[in-house]
């Protein structure tokens, strides 16, 4: 288990490097696929390593693997549909990975299903070798020869009806939110007997959302950058609590993540109100997040309220993943996410009615008012990022 887990972890790191390298490209589907596979292989590798260290029990393998397999079944299916627009070969690889996830789930209940999983996993290996050969030929011939099914770079032609998304990593962020909510939902319906074994999935999902937060600030999307930072904090806190149970550091339910949940409820409620200026999907997502966080300290893991909140958050995360994956691949709105319910001017006017806020705003230097507040040129490395002052204050609130 240690050797296998180490190899899988290294593969996950390589997949992550490939996904990060494509962040500035014009193929969001392939980028999301690489980043998602880095979480898949990294979680499986971490589970194997913990199993080899006797932290995880081999008898509870179903509890550890079922949530991740279920999530990546749908995620690879969504990416396969989207990849038909960009690269037929990548689409077939995604579909085969989705079928292999089905067989892996079957194998958790019936060991004979492993043969089917092995067959479906062998086909993506062959297609992957063909993909490598195709790109080798492509570069060796100075881009003059393209094998059938290979991806072609799409120039920004500005065709009528095409839209360029402001933040093309949101689909990956919502996809990572599906993993922990699926863990909680499967535990509620009785498909798994414990949530502790799924801690590696939740940990890497939280770290992935932290990456999405950073990239959102890089794309000057302050709203989603702050939201995914908070969800990352929530899932990493829950992961610590679940691992504490396995390491015998606590006796009952994990308590450290629940301590800050009261302030998280207030923060998610604020973002729910602010999401009226975004899309209907954002508003529903933040409302479901508020209900989920509210249920943690009040009802516990075995409650119906938490289970229903987990299922609602799972469904809206799945929908946002599907919608944003297809919309970013086809560069048009195929799956609606809704328009803003409240113009930003109305929200700004609502706060300006408060005299103290109005006076404080007028007292700011002219260089910081109006457009200057939303167009920050803070430098981090060689890239420009949007101002993250709001995230700093929210982090202080959670810590306090």
């Amino acid at each position: 288990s240690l050797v296998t887990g180490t190899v899988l972890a290294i593969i996950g790191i390589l997949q992550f490097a490939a996904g990060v390298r494509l962040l500035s490209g014009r193929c969001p589907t392939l980028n999301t696929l690489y980043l998602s596979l880095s979480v898949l292989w990294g979680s499986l590798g971490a589970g194997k390593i913990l199993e080899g260290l006797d932290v995880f029990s081999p008898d509870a393998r179903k509890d550890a693997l079922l949530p991740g397999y279920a999530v990546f079944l749908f995620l690879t299916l969504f990416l396969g549909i989207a990849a038909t627009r960009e690269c037929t070969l990548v689409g077939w690889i995604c579909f085969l990975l989705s079928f292999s996830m089905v067989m892996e789930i079957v194998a958790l209940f019936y060991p004979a299903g492993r043969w089917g999983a092995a067959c479906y996993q062998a086909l993506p290996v062959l297609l992957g070798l063909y993909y490598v050969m195709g790109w080798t030929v492509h570069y060796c011939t100075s881009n003059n020869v393209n094998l059938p099914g290979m991806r072609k770079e799409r120039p920004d032609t500005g065709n009528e009806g095409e839209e360029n998304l402001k933040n093309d990593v949101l689909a990956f962020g919502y996809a990572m939110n599906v993993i922990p909510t699926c863990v909680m939902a499967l535990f509620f319906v009785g498909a798994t007997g414990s949530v502790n074994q799924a801690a590696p999935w939740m940990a890497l999902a939280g770290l992935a959302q932290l990456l999405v937060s950073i990239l959102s600030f890089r794309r000057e999307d302050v709203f989603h950058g702050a939201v995914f930072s908070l969800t990352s904090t929530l899932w990493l806190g829950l992961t610590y609590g679940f691992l504490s149970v396995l390491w015998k550091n606590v006796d009952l339910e994990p308590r450290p993540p629940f301590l800050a949940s009261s302030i998280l409820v207030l923060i998610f409620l604020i973002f729910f109100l602010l999401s009226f200026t975004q899309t209907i999907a954002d508003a529903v997502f933040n409302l479901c997040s508020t209900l989920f966080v509210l249920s943690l300290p009040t009802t516990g893991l075995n409650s119906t309220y938490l289970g229903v909140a987990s299922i609602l958050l799972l469904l809206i995360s799945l929908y946002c993943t599907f919608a944003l994956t297809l919309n970013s691949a086809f560069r048009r709105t195929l799956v609606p996410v809704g328009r803003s319910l409240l113009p930003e001017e109305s929200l700004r006017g609502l706060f300006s009615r408060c005299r103290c806020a109005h006076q404080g705003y007028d007292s700011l230097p002219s260089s910081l008012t109006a457009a200057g507040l939303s167009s920050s040129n803070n430098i981090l490395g060689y890239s420009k990022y949007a101002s993250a002052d709001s995230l700093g204050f929210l982090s202080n609130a959670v810590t306090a």
Side-chain angles (χ1 to χ4, degrees), residues 54 63 106 116 131 137 190 219 254 266 296 338 367 386 396:
D54 295 328
D63 297 339
V106 174
Y131 193 78
V137 173
R219 287 155 173 77
L266 178 60
L296 283 176
S367 61
N396 282 331

Side-chain angles (χ1 to χ4, degrees), residues 9 19 25 46 70 76 79 86 97 122 132 139 155 167 177 180 216 223 259 263 276 283 310 336 359 391:
T76 51
L79 292 174
E86 297 175 348
L97 288 175
V132 172
Y139 284 114
N167 192 348
N177 203 73
S216 296
F223 178 83
L259 296 178
I263 187 63
F276 287 158
S310 302
Q359 290 179 348
L391 181 60

Side-chain angles (χ1 to χ4, degrees), residues 270-324:
I270 294 174
F271 276 102
F272 165 65
L273 299 177
L274 295 177
S275 59
F276 287 158
T277 63
Q278 302 294 318
T279 62
I280 297 177
D282 287 320
V284 176
F285 175 81
N286 286 285
L287 176 61
C288 294
S289 299
T290 304
L291 296 176
F292 177 83
V293 179
L294 179 63
S295 64
L296 283 176
T298 57
T299 59
L301 298 177
N302 296 316
S303 68
T304 303
Y305 183 67
L306 178 60
V308 173
S310 302
I311 293 175
L312 292 176
L313 187 56
L314 170 64
L315 292 177
I316 186 60
S317 299
L318 271 176
Y319 181 82
C320 291
T321 302
F322 179 68
L324 294 176

Side-chain angles (χ1 to χ4, degrees), residues 6-7 25 38 54 60 87 94 115 157 164 194 219-220 228 244 261 269 274-275 297 314 327 330 377:
T6 303
V7 172
S38 69
D54 295 328
C87 180
C94 291
W115 292 100
T157 57
N164 290 324
S194 173
R219 287 155 173 77
E220 297 190 358
F228 283 117
S244 298
S261 57
L269 183 59
L274 295 177
S275 59
L314 170 64
N327 294 345
F330 288 86
N377 288 326

Side-chain angles (χ1 to χ4, degrees), residues 135-146:
W135 274 112
T136 304
V137 173
H138 179 74
Y139 284 114
C140 291
T141 58
S142 300
N143 305 336
N144 293 323
V145 178
N146 288 313

Side-chain angles (χ1 to χ4, degrees), residues 161-294:
E162 287 196 351
E163 302 174 359
N164 290 324
L165 295 180
K166 176 182 177 181
N167 192 348
D168 55 355
V169 296
L170 290 183
F172 177 64
Y174 285 112
M176 294 300 100
N177 203 73
V178 176
I179 294 178
T181 54
C182 184
V183 172
M184 307 298 291
L186 290 178
F187 177 72
F188 168 69
V189 300
T192 58
S194 173
V195 295
N196 302 326
Q197 304 289 334
W201 298 100
M202 299 182 67
L204 289 185
L207 292 175
Q209 287 191 329
L210 186 60
L211 172 66
V212 173
S213 173
I214 296 174
L215 295 175
S216 296
F217 282 108
R218 174 66 182 88
R219 287 155 173 77
E220 297 190 358
D221 188 355
V222 178
F223 178 83
H224 290 100
V227 168
F228 283 117
S229 293
L230 294 173
T231 55
S232 174
T233 302
L234 174 64
W235 303 132
L236 291 176
L238 284 174
T239 301
Y240 172 76
F242 296 153
L243 289 177
S244 298
V245 174
L246 295 175
W247 284 325
K248 309 300 181 182
N249 289 334
V250 295
D251 298 328
L252 301 174
E253 290 184 354
R255 301 196 180 277
F258 298 165
L259 296 178
S261 57
S262 57
I263 187 63
L264 286 177
V265 171
L266 178 60
I267 294 174
F268 274 114
L269 183 59
I270 294 174
F271 276 102
F272 165 65
L273 299 177
L274 295 177
S275 59
F276 287 158
T277 63
Q278 302 294 318
T279 62
I280 297 177
D282 287 320
V284 176
F285 175 81
N286 286 285
L287 176 61
C288 294
S289 299
T290 304
L291 296 176
F292 177 83
V293 179
L294 179 63

